DNA sequence: AATGAATGAGCCTTCATTCAT
DNA sequence: GATGAATGAAGGCTCATTCAT
């Protein structure tokens, strides 16, 4: 359970992530991971206590990376501007790391998540700026009366779904540009949407 | 591979569905299903070609049931009223069959779905009324310019997410009633939201 | 966990017993058993719930066989005569089934036994005639005041140890015949040993 | 494979012994031992060639310790008195080191012992006083005509079995005191038992 | 059509042993 | 001499699938 070789740990998580994205959580097997990571199967246990610990680390790692990337806005700035900024960040992240987002989504919605023993604190780690933004926007009368989870339903989920639909060819970005999504979400959340 | 005994097939799908809802897709095993359905494991192969075929049938069955229940509106009625009606139907279904919806969602978002060989036509079966409603609403200038998938992002997904959050205790329905969600979604989609 | 094929179950136990006798309990592996029994490894689970259940069955089977063979005396006959008879039966069994006895002994003295969940009732099953003989002999004033376990220490254990020592060439049966053992044990247990 | 640090070797054997006593020979693993002994697993190989060598050392160490403790009688003294003394020593040792005795017994009766390559000379080391006592007692006409192994069957084994039965609650030492065992064994071995 | 015993690949995990540091 | 990461074989067990009955 040591972590002598940080690079190796990274390779393991990368290999596991690839499998989850390609074949789903259910298809993850330690032997596949070991092979993909170029190590012996037993070596996995030097880096993770067991399979669940590895999946948990994988999940939290991706989740934190995304949280960090999508919270690079100013939570004390103008709520409307920061909300738009947040959605841009999410979309930018989706364009570069869509698979990672799908991995997070698959975990979020899988009963496996409970077995991993992810605490609520761990699950929310990194999202504080968004919570803060939500509260400030509502308090300032700029946002409709929403709570964190509701705001995410309109500012995060539609963006990801849009990116997925575009990637799958279900939506033509020429016909429906990302700005349209942003506009719709703003209409929902902002008390006085611009246009 | 005939379907001699329709009741038996139903029992199989019911047993499988229960397991998916309780433990996730990954936990489904044919022996568990057989036992829960009260039949011999080999008999499963009389009704389904293999495990994937059974999962596909399970998925489509639940999806169609939900599609049927949530499209009991008048697709040629007033778009705004029918949109609200649709959201009510979705919420009503979520309150009675949340597990079914989660099953559908777990499938939708898992790479497993591709392995099951679900065609695009099968995936969209039953949703025609919503497609029709979308097109009519947009054409009439009542809806913002959206396509089917985008409308679902605002009229279906937030409702399900809300129901899940309430079920998990993350949202207090006293503080955030369902009407709030409906209002937000209408603000997004309708050109002239009522209030 | 069915037992359709009694012969197969017998073959499994025989194979397992052989391995225990040859290499010890610790060396028992299900794959070895399967190979020796000429079946696939998974098939073992048709006959036994798991490895422990199989070992328990193995232990009890051998123990009961020995108990049955060594209690073919008349528990209500003359205590002295029946005691001698019992020792003869034990020795006869040892000459034909020494390995079985060693298997029983290895189980008895292994911490594994506790994991197998052998109840006290199961452990004593089949020994009732000896318990009865002990009590009658003591009550009649023919035996020294002993309880079951003590009697076994003098009437059973030395016989087995003798048989083992002879088998290992540590004792020459010409020099020390079995009658010598029987005499010593009788001197210990009987109030008035014959010679 | 030198023995630089005698203390470390002792700690290793102590750790291994504890595991054998607690969980049985089969549960011994070198990593467990290393952890319990506070050394790195690789270091074990500095002190022992391999696992078998370690087990053999463990066995012999305990056996010699017991042999030394139970042969603190005067092998040239009065045979009857010394025989009683020997049994007292065995019982005293059992009361303080029952687990050690069970460890020895588990080894003695397991086929594993042969794999360890214990020579006959090693097995008998330390028991010379008892051999000598046996021969003198028989020659003097005080003991019945027994050889070493037979004497042990009556003077050692019943004592250990008694101690185990008491420890397991199978025998109540109030009802059956140790003196009873000593008396029975003396009746078997002595030509003219006292009482 | 229905059964369920049988199969053997594959899963997660542990372990004795090696070797670069 | 000591370390502990790395190895890969082996262990117990589950599972989808087949097939004789």
């Amino acid at each position: 359970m040591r972590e002598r070789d940080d690079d190796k740990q990274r390779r393991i998580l990368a290999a596991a992530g690839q499998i989850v994205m390609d074949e789903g959580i259910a298809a993850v097997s330690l032997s596949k991971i070991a092979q993909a990571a170029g190590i012996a199967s037993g070596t996995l246990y030097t880096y993770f206590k067991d399979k669940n610990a590895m999946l948990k680390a994988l999940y939290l790692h991706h989740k934190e990376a995304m949280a960090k990337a999508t919270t690079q806005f100013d939570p004390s700035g103008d709520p409307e501007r920061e909300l738009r900024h947040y959605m841009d960040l999410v979309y930018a992240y989706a364009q570069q790391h869509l698979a990672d987002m799908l991995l997070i989504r698959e975990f979020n919605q899988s009963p496996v998540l409970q077995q991993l023993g992810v605490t609520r604190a761990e699950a929310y780690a990194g999202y504080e700026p968004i919570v803060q933004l939500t509260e400030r926007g509502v308090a300032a009368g700029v946002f409709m009366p929403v709570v964190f989870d509701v705001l995410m339903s309109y500012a995060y989920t539609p963006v990801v779904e849009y990116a997925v639909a575009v990637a799958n060819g279900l939506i033509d970005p020429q016909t429906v540009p990302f700005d349209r999504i942003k506009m719709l979400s703003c209409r929902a959340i902002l008390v006085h949407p611009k246009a």
Side-chain angles (χ1 to χ4, degrees), chain A residues 56-171:
Chain A
K56 180 176 174 179
L58 177 65
Y59 170 64
L60 291 180
H61 172 265
H62 281 268
K63 193 164 186 180
E64 282 158 19
M66 187 196 60
K68 178 171 288 182
T70 58
T71 53
Q72 300 296 323
F73 56 82
D74 176 7
S76 52
D78 173 58
E80 171 167 355
R81 195 186 62 220
E82 299 309 325
L83 175 66
R84 293 181 186 276
H85 190 183
Y86 170 63
M87 292 181 68
D88 285 334
L89 290 169
V90 171
Y91 187 57
Y93 198 80
Q95 290 187 294
Q96 297 203 339
H97 304 284
L98 187 56
D100 295 39
M101 282 178 146
L102 297 184
L103 178 149
I104 295 167
R105 193 175 66 165
E106 197 186 345
F107 269 101
N108 276 338
Q109 305 185 351
S110 164
V112 171
L113 198 54
Q114 298 177 343
Q115 298 167 20
L116 302 189
V118 178
T119 66
R120 188 160 295 190
E122 286 171 325
Y124 277 84
Y127 287 108
E128 296 83 4
I130 308 177
V131 174
Q132 194 183 336
L133 173 63
T134 308
E135 291 169 354
R136 278 189 56 248
V138 172
V142 178
F143 291 177
M144 297 290 291
V146 295
V147 294
F148 171 74
D149 289 277
V150 172
L151 183 127
M152 294 297 271
S153 271
Y154 289 93
Y156 174 83
T157 308
V159 177
V160 177
E161 291 193 349
Y162 171 77
V164 171
V166 169
N168 288 345
L170 295 173
I171 289 183

Side-chain angles (χ1 to χ4, degrees), chain A residues 9-21:
Chain A
Q9 174 145 6
R10 228 174 291 123
R11 261 161 51 211
I12 293 172
L13 287 181
Q18 201 56 53
I19 294 171
V20 173
M21 297 174 208

Side-chain angles (χ1 to χ4, degrees), chain A residues 17-54:
Chain A
Q18 201 56 53
I19 294 171
V20 173
M21 297 174 208
D22 291 347
E23 312 173 49
I25 295 177
V28 172
S29 90
L30 296 191
S31 43
K32 274 188 206 167
I33 294 174
Q35 190 170 18
I39 59 173
S41 64
T43 306
L44 287 169
Y45 289 82
T46 303
Y47 295 90
F48 300 100
K49 186 179 138 288
D50 58 17
K51 191 188 181 185
N52 272 356
M54 205 217 59

